[in-house]
Amino acid sequence: MQNILITGGAGYIGSHTVVALHEAGFRPVIIDNLSNSDARVLDGIAHITGTRPSFYRGDCRDIDLLRKIFTQEDIAGVIHFAAYKAVGESVQEPLKYYDNNINALLRVLIASQEHSAGQEHVFPFIFSSSATVYGEADTMPLTEETPRKPATNPYGNTKAIAEDILHDVVHAQRRANASLYATPLHAIALRYFNPIGAHPSAAIGENPHGRPENLVPYLVQAASGRREPLTIYGNDYPTPDGTGVRDYIHVVDLAEAHVAAMQYAFAQTDAPRFDIFNIGTGRGTSVKELIATFEEVTGVNVPHTIGARRPGDVAVCYADTTKAADILGWRARCSIADALRDAWVWEQRQHTTS
Ligand code: NAD
Ligand code: WQD
């Protein structure tokens, strides 16, 4: 059984991935400083899997702690989720974002290199990137070959910089495979589109601190009456109904993509290498369509108003997922209706138990 370090494993996507890895026969080891999560998520994971994962409360910028975990747990691969992710906050506090998102990546990479140096088997390093790196693209759907555009906010820039760091580290290793850094690293950046939903058990889900910025967490709170009506940010986009179009992916499908990427990396023999995959459904859904689907599957009305466009938003963003299907053998299976139903059940559970 391979031990996989999951940084940020107490968070939204990390916790679902811990479950998926466990179900696939890996042994997940979590490091999380709980800056945007709660230790109760470990109970949720244990409820689903029957096993409480190994958990270290600490910061990924603490290289000594990382070294201790790598040795103690004999880590065979890493999935690096730990980062701050609020776009608006990153504009207000760029240093906070560059410090955490870049320095955590660097420390985890250094510890991974030190630990795997000289090993004969591949060391997978999977990184959470984002469709935000494409910016306002000229063509849809987005393929991995679609040129990246300069980021419009510091959060997005940390993802672009992180991809560049992975590229440089891997290519330096390919050139000089005799140094300490001659590690069998297989770096994979997964560019997530819009993750939504919760585990169907409602034992884990998204738990944003404060007022949610993202559509679905805000929508479910507005539907339950915990928030003011949802504001649709613009109905004058060049889309069929005028509202923004995104590629919403169930978080359980997204978690499965990490398992597929991990299995793929372990099966390779030509590390070091760096691969990039879009992780979406390939389908675009407008804000109005999403509200209508939510109302249909839950029978609950979503109070909403039309407001101005949100600065920095693009009109349309959805993935071409051919590469992930062809190479990883992965594709999304759940519908938007499944995801919205699960998000609603999770919201109600929070509401009645908090
Ligand atoms: P999340 O905030 O729920 O999870 C991140 C976890 O990392 C949290 O539990 C937090 O406590 C932890 N963390 C943050 N900094 C840390 C540090 N220095 N040391 C240890 N732990 C730390 O976010 P999420 O939605 O699960 O996102 C996971 C990753 O996916 C992030 O890198 C995010 O940028 C990326 N991503 C998210 C989305 C999305 O819409 N949710 C989309 C694209 C990419
Ligand atoms: C979706 C659609 C909004 C809220 C963001 C980040 C991106 C990635 C995912 C991490 C858009 C509309 C939203 C609301 C609305 N995160 N909307 N009212 O903007 O596609 O992506 O999260 O990497 O980097 O930018 O997601 O959920 O915020 O918005 O009308 O209250 O919903 O305009 O069309 P977005 P979102």
Side-chain angles (χ1 to χ4, degrees), residues 57-92:
R57 182 172 184 171
D59 197 297
C60 290
R61 288 164 292 187
D62 180 349
I63 187 99
D64 294 331
L65 174 61
L66 289 174
R67 286 177 174 135
K68 185 182 121 187
I69 298 171
F70 271 84
T71 307
Q72 207 158 286
E73 302 280 358
D74 193 17
I75 297 300
V78 168
I79 306 181
H80 182 54
F81 291 105
Y84 295 144
K85 63 167 182 176
V87 172
E89 186 185 52
S90 81
V91 176
Q92 306 298 323

Side-chain angles (χ1 to χ4, degrees), residues 120-122 174 184-186 264-273:
E120 287 189 0
H121 52 82
V122 168
R174 286 183 86 93
L185 197 75
H186 186 156
Y264 168 70
F266 275 126
Q268 302 308 302
T269 51
D270 64 340
R273 56 181 288 157

Side-chain angles (χ1 to χ4, degrees), residues 1-3 22 25-28 74 76:
M1 191 181 268
Q2 282 145 320
N3 300 332
H22 174 90
F26 294 100
R27 180 174 166 271
D74 193 17

Side-chain angles (χ1 to χ4, degrees), residues 130 132 155 194 214-215 230-233 246 248 310 313:
S130 168
T132 193
Y155 166 75
N194 288 61
N214 293 118
L215 177 61
L230 169 76
T231 302
I232 296 180
Y233 295 142
R246 296 291 184 274
Y248 297 96
R310 182 171 62 178
D313 274 358

Side-chain angles (χ1 to χ4, degrees), residues 98-178:
Y98 287 115
D99 177 26
N100 195 36
N101 294 9
I102 302 301
N103 284 324
L105 170 69
L106 293 174
R107 297 291 166 271
V108 178
L109 257 180
I110 290 167
S112 299
Q113 285 196 321
E114 288 174 357
H115 183 72
S116 62
Q119 287 182 4
E120 287 189 0
H121 52 82
V122 168
F123 190 91
F125 190 100
I126 299 173
F127 173 71
S128 302
S129 191
S130 168
T132 193
V133 300
Y134 293 114
E136 184 127 38
D138 302 322
T139 53
M140 286 292 151
L142 297 157
T143 77
E144 291 81 355
E145 304 303 319
T146 303
R148 286 182 350 197
K149 291 278 178 71
T152 55
N153 57 74
Y155 166 75
N157 204 23
T158 67
K159 295 300 179 192
I161 293 169
E163 288 190 356
D164 291 346
I165 290 170
L166 292 172
H167 172 276
D168 291 350
V169 168
V170 164
H171 283 80
Q173 288 181 12
R174 286 183 86 93
R175 282 194 298 271
N177 56 3

Side-chain angles (χ1 to χ4, degrees), residues 88-339:
E89 186 185 52
S90 81
V91 176
Q92 306 298 323
E93 298 185 68
L95 271 181
K96 175 176 170 180
Y97 276 69
Y98 287 115
D99 177 26
N100 195 36
N101 294 9
I102 302 301
N103 284 324
L105 170 69
L106 293 174
R107 297 291 166 271
V108 178
L109 257 180
I110 290 167
S112 299
Q113 285 196 321
E114 288 174 357
H115 183 72
S116 62
Q119 287 182 4
E120 287 189 0
H121 52 82
V122 168
F123 190 91
F125 190 100
I126 299 173
F127 173 71
S128 302
S129 191
S130 168
T132 193
V133 300
Y134 293 114
E136 184 127 38
D138 302 322
T139 53
M140 286 292 151
L142 297 157
T143 77
E144 291 81 355
E145 304 303 319
T146 303
R148 286 182 350 197
K149 291 278 178 71
T152 55
N153 57 74
Y155 166 75
N157 204 23
T158 67
K159 295 300 179 192
I161 293 169
E163 288 190 356
D164 291 346
I165 290 170
L166 292 172
H167 172 276
D168 291 350
V169 168
V170 164
H171 283 80
Q173 288 181 12
R174 286 183 86 93
R175 282 194 298 271
N177 56 3
S179 72
L180 164 69
Y181 298 109
T183 52
L185 197 75
H186 186 156
I188 297 179
L190 300 181
R191 292 178 175 163
Y192 312 155
F193 281 67
N194 288 61
I196 60 167
H199 195 271
S201 65
I204 54 174
E206 187 166 14
N207 216 344
H209 291 180
R211 184 187 187 281
E213 279 188 14
N214 293 118
L215 177 61
V216 171
Y218 192 93
L219 180 153
V220 293
Q221 293 188 12
S224 73
R226 291 170 65 196
R227 297 274 170 198
E228 294 296 302
L230 169 76
T231 302
I232 296 180
Y233 295 142
N235 66 350
D236 58 351
Y237 282 107
T239 61
D241 65 20
T243 65
V245 169
R246 296 291 184 274
D247 185 338
Y248 297 96
I249 175 169
H250 198 302
V251 67
V252 168
D253 278 333
L254 176 56
E256 290 294 340
H258 294 79
V259 174
M262 189 58 75
Q263 289 167 336
Y264 168 70
F266 275 126
Q268 302 308 302
T269 51
D270 64 340
R273 56 181 288 157
F274 178 43
D275 289 315
I276 295 176
F277 295 98
N278 284 342
I279 304 296
T281 67
R283 288 184 301 278
T285 303
S286 75
V287 178
K288 279 189 176 168
E289 285 172 333
L290 186 139
I291 293 172
T293 304
F294 178 88
E295 291 182 337
E296 198 179 307
V297 297
T298 63
V300 177
N301 178 50
V302 180
H304 63 271
T305 57
I306 305 292
R309 292 183 181 189
R310 182 171 62 178
D313 274 358
V314 297
V316 180
C317 174
Y318 61 95
D320 180 320
T321 58
T322 311
K323 187 177 175 190
D326 288 353
I327 297 179
L328 301 180
W330 170 90
R331 52 173 55 80
R333 288 181 299 193
C334 304
S335 66
I336 279 227
D338 295 331

